Amino acid sequence: MHKPLNWLLLVGALLAGSVAHAQVIMPPTPGKAPDPAPNVVPKPDAQPAKSAPYGAGMKINISPDGSKYVRIMTAHQVWARYTENNTGTLSATEEPTPSQTDFSLRRSRVLLVAQLNSRFVIITQLGVNSQNTLSGGGPGEPTGPGKKPSFYLHDATVDYKVNSHLSLGGGLHAYNGISRQSSFAAFSLITLDVPGTQWPVTDAIDQTGRGLGLFAHGRFGHFDYRLSVNDAFRNNLSSTPATLTTDVAAFNPRARGKVYQGYFTWEFLEKEANLVPFTVGTYLGSKRVLNIGTGFLYYGNGMYMRSEAAPSLQPTTSAWTIPYTKQDLSVLAADIFYDTPVDTTAGNKTAFTVYGAFYRYNMGSNFMRYGGTINPGAGSAVLRGNSIPVLGTGTAQTIQTGFLLPQRLLGPKIRLQPYVDYTHGRYDGLRRTDGRIQDVHVMDGGVNVLLDGHQAKVTLNYRARPDFNNINNLDYRPEVTMQLQVIL
């Protein structure tokens, strides 16, 4: 690919050497013969076989010694997808639509990490999530619901390093509890996307998995930790005791307490960087990591429910006079992450990654959350399009694993990384007509085509997801997604 360029450089160099040889030479000092003019052809710069890794983005040094700097990263994930819809899904024209192909913008980000000195770090991230032609646009946009999305603030964090074991900070931050994937780095995932089980309160009492409050994090030897206390965002404002389904909890719109979170990890092998809160999905063989972690989230009186049927005559004063019960919200989790090179010899450089997590949700009586990523179905039905039961009061497990194939397979530039992903949920609020719990099984499999590591990759993913419109007789619907990811 670079041969024409090399020949052009070589010819240019020869011409330059000829011109230099033909230049006028000043008369020499009498009595001494002049030295012959050099005629050395400069060698053209070698062209790299692959782009050099730049690590954590573009760096702008503010001070001469580089102690003050700003790192800038921008990234996009673009999806093309075929979806077989759930039963009863309607199109934007309110017509039944069994399937469709659509295009969407899964994520678009600009991340700034600035260091004032060795103790102060500032993190600013802005971006867009999940835009298609049906949803994800600006609120109340008169020209259409999928247009002009808000390029909103994801992170605004100030971090102060007290000592080598402790850093303190605050702002809109992602120092979450529960699990490793609760603070995932979206552009280094081994799978197409996260399962959803890692964010039980997203956009209910937080903002896209971020809390507004204070945090502490650090490391003692092999023990890494993070703790935070946040104000809960107001939520579910249209909900009242009159609108509740009997014996089914919902987020309490009148709860105004603090949200407490923590996550603790023991790093058995190499230690991971913890300057920013985001955790890597796979190191592609550049690191050998074995971590076991556990985490929690607690929000007192965060849920509420009505145990008796709603009165036939609504109160004339306030629906909040109807009897209801407050319930605490708590989540516990444990996980394991193993990422290692396998064969480091030239031409191979294979690597193996596995991540598994267990969640226990206590979110009130029979609570359930449903959702579908960039849902292609129109309307407001909870099980339209590609929607599934994501989580609820009960338990969930997820496991994902992948293998980086030998480098010699497609040459030094393009790498292949096949993966599989399985999520299982067992929730109190999902019961058949005979009273038995109906489990949730979601299966994904695919391959990452790494054109330049995580910086440029194409992911092809196949999903088999359950259609819960008939809970007694589940159908599994296919979903095929191709993602293009580019980071600079």
Side-chain angles (χ1 to χ4, degrees):
M1 178 179 178
H2 298 296
K3 287 184 178 180
L5 180 59
N6 289 340
W7 279 111
L8 286 174
L9 289 173
L10 184 58
V11 171
L14 288 170
L15 289 174
S18 300
V19 171
H21 185 65
Q23 286 177 344
V24 175
I25 300 175
M26 296 299 294
T29 303
K32 181 180 179 182
D35 295 329
N39 190 17
V40 179
V41 179
K43 294 182 180 180
D45 294 335
Q47 299 299 308
K50 59 185 294 186
S51 62
Y54 56 82
M58 299 173 284
K59 182 180 179 183
I60 302 173
N61 288 330
I62 300 174
S63 62
D65 62 353
S67 61
K68 294 180 174 62
Y69 64 83
V70 177
R71 290 191 185 275
I72 305 173
M73 296 183 71
T74 181
H76 302 288
Q77 291 175 337
V78 181
W79 281 15
R81 177 179 59 177
Y82 166 80
T83 305
E84 184 176 300
N85 291 324
N86 291 345
T87 305
T89 296
L90 301 179
S91 68
T93 57
E94 299 183 355
E95 297 174 319
T97 176
S99 64
Q100 74 279 307
T101 300
D102 68 327
F103 306 100
S104 55
L105 187 63
R106 178 64 182 98
R107 295 180 180 92
S108 179
R109 295 280 196 275
V110 174
L111 173 65
L112 306 175
V113 179
Q115 180 172 287
L116 179 63
N117 55 42
S118 60
R119 292 185 181 271
F120 282 101
V121 175
I122 301 171
I123 301 173
T124 306
Q125 184 172 198
L126 301 100
V128 172
N129 291 324
S130 303
Q131 182 190 12
N132 64 8
T133 55
L134 292 177
S135 61
E141 171 54 41
T143 64
K147 298 177 183 177
K148 304 175 185 177
S150 300
F151 196 70
Y152 67 92
L153 194 63
H154 283 65
D155 300 270
T157 302
V158 177
D159 194 319
Y160 175 70
K161 185 176 181 180
V162 178
N163 54 45
S164 59
H165 305 298
L166 172 65
S167 293
L168 299 173
L172 185 64
H173 66 88
Y175 282 99
N176 298 319
I178 310 180
S179 74
R180 177 185 182 88
Q181 283 198 333
S182 298
S183 301
F184 66 96
F187 295 89
S188 68
L189 296 174
I190 190 171
T191 55
L192 174 71
D193 214 336
V194 286
T197 52
Q198 79 289 341
W199 277 358
V201 298
T202 182
D203 286 333
I205 60 174
D206 68 14
Q207 177 177 299
T208 321
R210 275 75 171 179
L212 186 58
L214 302 177
F215 60 83
H217 69 100
R219 178 184 287 130
F220 289 89
H222 291 272
F223 177 70
D224 191 277
Y225 67 93
R226 58 179 65 187
L227 293 160
S228 68
V229 54
N230 306 309
D231 276 333
F233 284 90
R234 291 198 69 189
N235 68 92
N236 205 18
L237 298 182
S238 62
S239 176
T240 70
T243 64
L244 291 175
T245 301
T246 304
D247 288 328
V248 178
F251 287 102
N252 183 0
R254 291 195 165 187
R256 294 299 300 144
K258 305 298 182 188
V259 181
Y260 301 93
Q261 298 186 73
Y263 180 63
F264 314 98
T265 305
W266 188 267
E267 301 175 312
F268 289 90
L269 302 176
E270 292 186 56
K271 297 177 182 178
E272 298 184 271
N274 61 359
L275 178 67
V276 297
F278 314 112
T279 58
V280 172
T282 173
Y283 286 100
L284 302 177
S286 66
K287 214 172 183 67
R288 190 165 178 260
V289 176
L290 174 60
N291 294 353
I292 293 179
T294 185
F296 73 92
L297 180 149
Y298 177 78
Y299 182 33
N301 295 327
M303 312 297 289
Y304 80 127
M305 56 87 67
R306 190 191 69 239
S307 58
E308 298 179 357
S312 56
L313 296 176
Q314 296 297 317
T316 57
T317 54
S318 171
W320 289 95
T321 61
I322 299 174
Y324 66 92
T325 302
K326 298 177 183 178
Q327 296 180 317
D328 293 342
L329 187 164
S330 65
V331 182
L332 297 173
D335 59 6
I336 182 170
F337 175 67
Y338 181 52
D339 192 84
T340 183
V342 176
D343 187 345
T344 60
T345 59
N348 287 321
K349 297 184 179 179
T350 56
F352 173 74
T353 305
V354 63
Y355 174 74
F358 171 85
Y359 299 89
R360 172 65 190 177
Y361 308 101
N362 295 293
M363 303 182 69
S365 303
N366 299 312
F367 173 79
M368 286 300 308
R369 288 198 83 170
Y370 298 85
T373 304
I374 323 181
N375 199 318
S380 58
V382 294
L383 286 174
R384 72 188 187 280
N386 63 351
S387 185
I388 60 173
V390 178
L391 56 86
T393 294
T395 61
Q397 306 85 39
T398 180
I399 185 168
Q400 47 195 230
T401 184
F403 190 81
L404 185 62
L405 297 180
Q407 192 176 41
R408 67 174 183 273
L409 192 65
L410 295 176
K413 295 182 180 181
I414 301 176
R415 306 294 303 276
L416 296 180
Q417 184 185 45
Y419 64 84
V420 292
D421 183 7
Y422 169 69
T423 300
H424 168 256
R426 186 172 177 82
Y427 309 122
D428 297 343
L430 283 181
R431 294 185 181 271
R432 304 173 187 175
T433 54
D434 62 7
R436 292 183 297 162
I437 291 178
Q438 177 65 274
D439 289 8
V440 181
H441 303 275
V442 182
M443 291 148 285
D444 288 86
V447 61
N448 293 315
V449 183
L450 303 160
L451 307 176
D452 190 2
H454 288 303
Q455 276 64 48
K457 72 178 181 182
V458 175
T459 300
L460 184 64
N461 186 86
Y462 176 87
R463 161 169 283 202
R465 68 171 202 284
D467 180 352
F468 264 78
N469 278 281
N470 183 354
I471 195 169
N472 297 308
N473 185 20
L474 300 183
D475 283 328
Y476 280 80
R477 309 291 187 186
E479 193 171 325
V480 181
T481 306
M482 184 177 68
Q483 173 183 271
L484 171 61
Q485 171 178 300
V486 178
I487 310 172
L488 180 61

